[in-house]
Amino acid sequence: MMFKTFLTTVTLFLFLLGSGMASDKPSLAILPLRLNAPSGMDYLKGAYRDVLSSRIGSYGDILIEDAPKLQAAMDKYGASDWSEVKSKSLAKEIGASFILDGSLSIIGDDLSLDVRLIKVDGWDIRPMTYKGKGLGSFTDMLDKSALEARGIIVGLGNSTGKTMKDNGWKSRKLSLALKGIAVADLDNDGTMELVAIDDKNLYIYTFDKDGLRLKKEFKGTGPTLNYNIAVGDFNGNGLPEIYLSRKYMEKAASRVIEFTGKDFTVIADDLPWFMRAVKGADKAFLIGEKFRQIDGLYGGVKFLKWKSGVMEEDSLLDMPKWMDLYGFTICDVTGDGKDDFVRLDENDRIRIYEKVEAGTWKQTWKSTDYYGGSINNIDFEPAPAEQKSVNVKAEVICSKLMEGGRREVITSRNEAGTRIFKNISYESGDVRGLLWNDFGLEDMWRTKKINGYVADFAVADLNKDGHDEIVEVVVVKQPSIFSTGESLIVTLSPERLH
C-alpha cells in the first residue's frame, strides 16, 4: 500500500512537468504497459507511463505525446501487438519520432521489465531489459530505463547541432599564460569563484553580472613553479579547499588554501606531493604522488586524507601499471555496473581498462583519434645533463552533463600541425564529450573550436543559472622574453555532433 501511495504521489507530481515543448523536438509515444502479473496491480500501468514521461521529458528537449491523443489513435487501429506497419502508421498519425513499448512480468518477488525503444525513421530497435526483486525495485527499474531511453533519443533524435544553452561568455584578454582553472563557491556566499594559476601565481576571481573580479592573489616567490590545481571539500568542514601542486627547486612544495571566515589562508604548506582530485560521475577523491628531482614522480599514486588537521597518505590507488596521477578518471563508462579506468596514454589516445582482480587490469579499448594535448611539463634531472619530464596531461572527467544521465567521458582536444617534438605548439582546441556505444567511445558533442591552446577546463555552473557549462582557459599567446602571454576564460555550451 505504501508503494502504491508513493507511486500515485509521484505520478501526480511528475505529471505537471512535461508540458510546453516545441514540435521540432524529437517526440516519444509511450505505449501502454503490457502487464503479466497477479490481479490488483493495474495501477502499475499508470505509474509506468507517468514516471517515464516525466523522467524522459522533464529536461524539455523531448516531447512526450499526449496520452488521450495516443489512446485515440491506438483505438482506431485496434491493435494490441504492434507490428512494424501498424506502429509506423500510428507514429505518422500522431507525429511521433520514437515509440517506447514495454512489458512487465511479475512472478512472486521477481520482476522483469522488457522495453523496446524504436526509432521510427529507419526502424531502429533498441531492446532493454531490467530485473528486480520485490515491488520496491520497480521505481529503480523505471529510472534506469528512462535514463537509457533518454540517452538514446537525445543521441539519435537531434542532428541539428543543438546547443545546451544559447549564450556563452568570454573574458577580456588577460596578460597571463594560464595553466589551470577550477570553479567552486569557496566561501559559501552564493557566488562562484574561479581559481586560476600561471607559472608563478594563484588568482581567485569572483564571477558576477559584471564578469570576473580579482578577489585574492597568492604570489609565488623565487624558483617556485605551479603545475595544477584542484578544488573540493576533502577535509569535511563544508568549505571547498584549493589544492595547488607546485615545486620549489628540486622537490614538491605544494599547498592547500581555504577560506577561514575572513580571508583565504594557506592551511597546509610545503607538502611533498603533487595532488589531484579525480572526478567520477558520482564522486570525487583526492590523490597524490611524491616528487623529487632525481626520480620525478615516485612511490605510487596514493589516496590523501585529512587527520586531525594534517594531510597524510593513505592506501595506494589500484590502477594499471606504469601510470602517474595525471590524465585519467574512474567510473562505469560502458554501463556494465563496474568501474572502468579511462586514461590518456603517452600518445594522447584514450584507453579503457577493466579490473580483472586486485592489482590486475586489462585494456578493453583504445581510440584511434588523438585527444588531450598538453604543454604543461614537470622537468627533472635523474642524472647530470639528463633532463626528463612528466607531462601534466589534460583533465579527464566522468560526468552526466548532457546525455540524459548516461556517463560521459569529457576531455579537451588540442590540434597542432605536428606531434613529433616535445615543445609542440597547438593551434586550436575544444572540449569533447564522448559516450560509449557498445563498440567504443564516440564523440557526441564538442564546444566551439577556438584559436589557441586549451590549457584546462572545468564543468561548472559558473553563472549560477542552474545549468552546468564548460569553462575553458585558452592561451591565445604563449609567453616569450617579450611578453607574459595572453589568455581568455570562456564559458561555452556543447554543440551536438549526432
Side-chain angles (χ1 to χ4, degrees):
M1 178 62 70
M2 287 181 63
F3 178 72
K4 182 175 180 179
T5 303
F6 168 74
L7 284 178
T8 302
T9 302
V10 170
T11 297
L12 290 173
F13 172 71
L14 296 177
F15 178 76
L16 300 174
L17 292 177
S19 60
M21 301 178 186
S23 60
D24 62 343
K25 299 170 183 176
S27 56
L28 174 66
I30 301 176
L31 300 184
L33 177 69
R34 289 176 281 114
L35 184 62
N36 178 22
S39 60
M41 293 189 175
D42 283 351
Y43 67 91
L44 295 176
K45 295 181 180 179
Y48 168 83
R49 175 182 169 81
D50 292 331
V51 173
L52 288 183
S53 295
S54 66
R55 293 286 197 273
I56 297 172
S58 61
Y59 289 82
D61 53 358
I62 299 171
L63 173 66
I64 306 298
E65 295 294 347
D66 181 65
K69 174 183 173 183
L70 173 62
Q71 189 62 55
M74 292 177 65
D75 291 342
K76 176 180 177 181
Y77 288 96
S80 57
D81 294 322
W82 290 91
S83 65
E84 179 176 345
V85 172
K86 288 182 178 179
S87 296
K88 283 184 175 178
S89 299
L90 173 70
K92 183 177 180 180
E93 178 163 332
I94 64 176
S97 47
F98 289 86
I99 295 173
L100 193 68
D101 179 25
S103 66
L104 175 67
S105 296
I106 302 177
I107 302 176
D109 285 337
D110 295 322
L111 279 70
S112 178
L113 177 63
D114 296 293
V115 177
R116 293 190 312 154
L117 180 65
I118 305 167
K119 186 174 187 287
V120 177
D121 183 15
W123 203 248
D124 181 11
I125 301 176
R126 303 291 182 93
M128 298 171 276
T129 299
Y130 308 92
K131 305 289 185 182
K133 279 281 188 184
L135 285 177
S137 66
F138 187 49
T139 302
D140 184 56
M141 294 162 69
L142 292 179
D143 283 341
K144 290 178 179 178
S145 62
L147 288 175
E148 187 167 356
R150 177 179 158 70
I152 294 171
I153 293 171
V154 172
L156 297 178
N158 292 338
S159 58
T160 58
K162 174 178 180 263
T163 57
M164 189 175 169
K165 292 176 64 211
D166 293 329
N167 61 327
W169 176 85
K170 180 175 73 172
S171 74
R172 61 177 175 81
K173 284 185 179 179
L174 305 172
S175 297
L176 306 165
L178 295 177
K179 302 173 74 170
I181 57 168
V183 178
D185 183 356
L186 297 173
D187 51 9
N188 282 352
D189 67 348
T191 301
M192 299 296 272
E193 279 79 35
L194 185 148
V195 188
I197 58 168
D198 59 14
D199 270 343
K200 290 289 186 182
N201 308 317
L202 181 145
Y203 311 91
I204 302 175
Y205 297 92
T206 188
F207 186 86
D208 56 26
K209 61 182 178 61
D210 298 319
L212 288 176
R213 291 186 294 107
L214 185 61
K215 196 169 188 176
K216 182 79 174 183
E217 180 178 355
F218 288 84
K219 289 185 175 292
T221 57
T224 302
L225 289 173
N226 298 330
Y227 290 97
N228 67 284
I229 52 171
V231 295
D233 179 21
F234 296 107
N235 64 9
N237 68 353
L239 288 170
E241 307 89 52
I242 303 167
Y243 294 84
L244 171 62
S245 294
R246 60 182 197 160
K247 75 171 185 175
Y248 179 82
M249 300 291 285
E250 298 183 353
K251 65 183 181 69
S254 297
R255 58 174 32 174
V256 183
I257 299 167
E258 187 176 51
F259 185 74
T260 55
K262 293 183 179 180
D263 203 356
F264 291 93
T265 304
V266 176
I267 62 170
D269 208 1
D270 202 28
L271 300 174
W273 310 280
F274 282 89
M275 303 172 292
R276 179 169 171 252
V278 177
K279 298 173 183 176
D282 304 306
K283 60 184 178 181
F285 52 88
L286 185 67
I287 56 174
E289 193 168 9
K290 288 185 175 179
F291 174 89
R292 61 189 177 199
Q293 192 73 356
I294 193 171
D295 295 307
L297 295 172
Y298 74 98
V301 178
K302 297 183 179 181
F303 292 102
L304 299 179
K305 66 178 183 179
W306 289 90
K307 185 175 181 180
S308 301
V310 178
M311 184 180 292
E312 59 183 33
E313 290 181 340
D314 201 355
S315 58
L316 282 166
L317 174 66
D318 192 344
M319 60 192 299
K321 294 181 179 179
W322 317 118
M323 282 197 59
D324 57 47
L325 79 163
Y326 293 112
F328 71 85
T329 189
I330 301 173
C331 71
D332 178 15
V333 172
T334 59
D336 63 357
K338 301 176 183 177
D339 279 344
D340 304 292
F341 194 99
V342 186
R343 64 169 286 215
L344 286 169
D345 68 15
E346 61 278 2
N347 295 312
D348 285 330
R349 288 184 170 92
I350 297 176
R351 296 177 187 249
I352 297 179
Y353 301 81
E354 67 176 21
K355 184 185 288 189
V356 178
E357 58 185 15
T360 304
W361 294 78
K362 178 180 72 174
Q363 180 179 307
T364 57
W365 184 79
K366 176 184 174 181
S367 71
T368 55
D369 290 332
Y370 295 108
Y371 294 87
S374 170
I375 60 174
N376 188 4
N377 295 300
I378 309 169
D379 295 325
F380 63 99
E381 294 182 7
E386 182 187 358
Q387 187 176 71
K388 294 186 177 182
S389 63
V390 174
N391 185 239
V392 180
K393 294 190 176 299
E395 189 62 80
V396 179
I397 67 174
C398 194
S399 179
K400 299 177 182 179
L401 176 65
M402 197 168 178
E403 297 301 331
R406 300 178 70 187
R407 289 173 170 85
E408 310 155 315
V409 174
I410 303 179
T411 191
S412 56
R413 182 173 178 173
N414 285 304
E415 295 186 3
T418 177
R419 287 176 176 263
I420 297 175
F421 303 106
K422 171 186 170 183
N423 294 322
I424 192 168
S425 178
Y426 292 102
E427 298 173 351
S428 62
D430 55 37
V431 172
R432 302 286 177 114
L434 300 93
L435 195 65
W436 185 258
N437 65 5
D438 293 330
F439 299 99
L441 288 175
E442 179 183 12
D443 289 15
M444 297 303 293
W445 57 259
R446 71 180 184 189
T447 58
K448 182 177 295 186
K449 187 177 293 186
I450 299 178
N451 290 337
Y453 158 62
V454 178
D456 199 9
F457 72 93
V459 178
D461 183 11
L462 183 61
N463 60 4
K464 300 287 282 186
D465 67 348
H467 300 279
D468 283 344
E469 53 262 336
I470 308 297
V471 187
E472 299 178 18
V473 56
V474 183
V475 180
V476 294
K477 183 178 181 181
Q478 292 292 344
S480 67
I481 59 173
F482 305 107
S483 170
T484 58
E486 292 180 344
S487 300
L488 291 172
I489 296 172
V490 298
T491 65
L492 295 169
S493 301
E495 299 176 350
R496 192 170 298 285
L497 298 174
H498 300 281

